[in-house]
Amino acid sequence: LFMAEAGELDAPYVITWEGSVMDETLSGDGYWMGLGEDPETGRQITSLEWLDRLAPGAAAVIAIGTCATWGGIPAAKGNPTNAMGVMDHLGKDYRSAFGVPVVNVPGCSPIGDNYLETAAAVLLFLNGLAPLPEFDELGRPAWLFGETVHRHCPRAGYYEEGVFAEAYGDKECLVELGCWGPVVQCNIGERGIVDGHGGCMQMGGICIGCTMPGFPDKFSPFFEAPPGSMVSSTTSRVVGSFIRRMREVSKSDKNMSARWEDDAPSGWARSRTGPRGAVKIVHRFYSKYQHSKESYN
Ligand code: SF4
Ligand code: SF4
């Protein structure tokens, strides 16, 4: 750190900051967070002092985790340490020595691959090997945080068909148990948490919005249905239940091969496989319409 500050490293340096920035003027006789001592006086050097000393000369500053990006749980209501994110502390006019504003990779805990991928992209840029990748208005890697977690959730199909879990352990959409996924920017649905595996909804948990600047206050109380979900889940229930029934009808027809007339010759069947009665008639029309534009010329 001393060498970096003195310009004695042979290469540019990048700061990766984890944890919220706490106001050291409130720490009394002690300190909130420290790193090393002044070699001449023995004075404890706070981490915040290092940030202030090193940030102007850094090639980039990357905040990792929701505490470092937006303040996180230490900055929740009450906030005795006046905790805040790195971007709040350095201010909107901050630019690194290479002209880059603070890069933010949120998450509580953050997905490791998100950090590595972002750091690699920034390093490629700093070495002149690639253009600066796209970041959003809050400095998040746009390609990682551009979508809501809901759009890639393995349970999204249940939401669309209006089927909701009533208890943890159920396989359906968790919105009525308190999931905020439809309004939360996070890529855990497609990325998983470790090496492509796991993730909140994959493991049966709700989304509590841990990547968002409003976390935790704006997502509490946890484990209660978000008020806005009443409108969307009721709409899904009404529209989805109709769509689901239509799909059941279609599915029963698609489970019949072209050579089966009335039913499958399966010894496994506990009930008939194909459509019957009025459903069968509906399907005749459906099938006629489906193939009406086919041409075998
Ligand atoms: S569990 Fe959450 S993220 Fe997944 S579909 Fe339901 S509301 Fe969306
Ligand atoms: S799904 Fe929600 S709770 Fe889970 S990591 Fe993403 S933002 Fe956090």
Side-chain angles (χ1 to χ4, degrees):
L1 298 178
F2 290 111
M3 288 175 71
E5 186 184 28
E8 293 170 356
L9 297 174
D10 284 338
Y13 61 89
V14 171
I15 297 174
T16 292
W17 184 277
E18 187 182 1
S20 54
V21 173
M22 292 172 279
D23 186 347
E24 291 292 349
T25 63
L26 300 176
S27 62
D29 294 336
Y31 56 93
W32 301 125
M33 193 161 44
L35 191 61
E37 295 173 348
D38 187 310
E40 286 169 13
T41 64
R43 179 181 64 86
Q44 173 69 51
I45 301 176
T46 66
S47 302
L48 180 56
E49 185 180 330
W50 278 121
L51 181 63
D52 289 335
R53 283 163 66 171
L54 292 175
V61 175
I62 305 175
I64 173 173
T66 296
C67 293
T69 50
W70 325 125
I73 290 172
K77 200 171 172 194
N79 194 355
T81 61
N82 193 23
M84 63 184 79
V86 172
M87 192 170 75
D88 286 300
H89 176 71
L90 293 178
K92 69 187 284 194
D93 294 329
Y94 170 79
R95 298 290 181 277
S96 73
F98 280 54
V100 183
V102 177
V103 171
N104 288 311
V105 185
C108 182
S109 60
I111 299 173
D113 287 349
N114 279 352
Y115 169 73
L116 286 178
E117 195 171 296
T118 305
V122 170
L123 290 177
L124 286 172
F125 163 72
L126 296 176
N127 282 288
L129 297 172
L132 189 64
E134 192 185 342
F135 292 90
D136 72 7
E137 68 285 356
L138 291 177
R140 292 173 287 209
W143 72 99
L144 298 176
F145 291 93
E147 299 271 1
T148 63
V149 68
H150 175 75
R151 289 182 187 148
H152 297 267
C153 176
R155 297 167 189 250
Y158 286 110
Y159 184 102
E160 190 228 1
E161 292 188 350
V163 193
F164 302 103
E166 291 174 2
Y168 287 102
D170 291 350
K171 64 186 176 188
E172 297 88 0
C173 166
L174 301 160
V175 73
E176 296 191 338
L177 297 180
C179 184
W180 284 85
V183 295
V184 169
Q185 289 164 257
C186 170
N187 65 342
I188 208 164
E190 62 266 45
R191 171 146 269 178
I193 186 71
V194 176
D195 210 12
H197 300 286
C200 302
M201 285 70 63
Q202 291 93 318
M203 302 305 291
I206 57 170
C207 170
I208 55 173
C210 80
T211 56
M212 300 293 278
F215 176 82
D217 293 337
K218 291 190 176 174
F219 296 92
S220 64
F222 297 152
F223 308 110
E224 283 187 19
S229 72
M230 269 171 58
V231 177
S232 55
S233 58
T234 304
T235 306
S236 287
R237 210 169 237 128
V238 173
V239 179
S241 61
F242 174 73
I243 299 286
R244 185 159 32 96
R245 284 195 178 88
M246 292 296 100
R247 286 175 180 165
E248 284 299 330
V249 168
S250 214
K251 193 174 73 178
S252 66
D253 177 66
K254 305 305 174 220
N255 263 326
M256 295 283 284
S257 81
R259 58 178 292 145
W260 301 339
E261 275 295 319
D262 294 320
D263 202 2
S266 167
W268 293 98
R270 273 180 286 176
S271 60
R272 288 165 64 97
T273 311
R276 286 175 281 173
V279 172
K280 194 167 180 176
I281 294 169
V282 168
H283 239 285
R284 285 231 169 92
F285 283 109
Y286 182 89
S287 190
K288 217 167 186 160
Y289 176 72
Q290 181 186 346
H291 297 287
S292 62
K293 294 186 185 118
E294 276 178 2
S295 159
Y296 297 101
N297 292 336

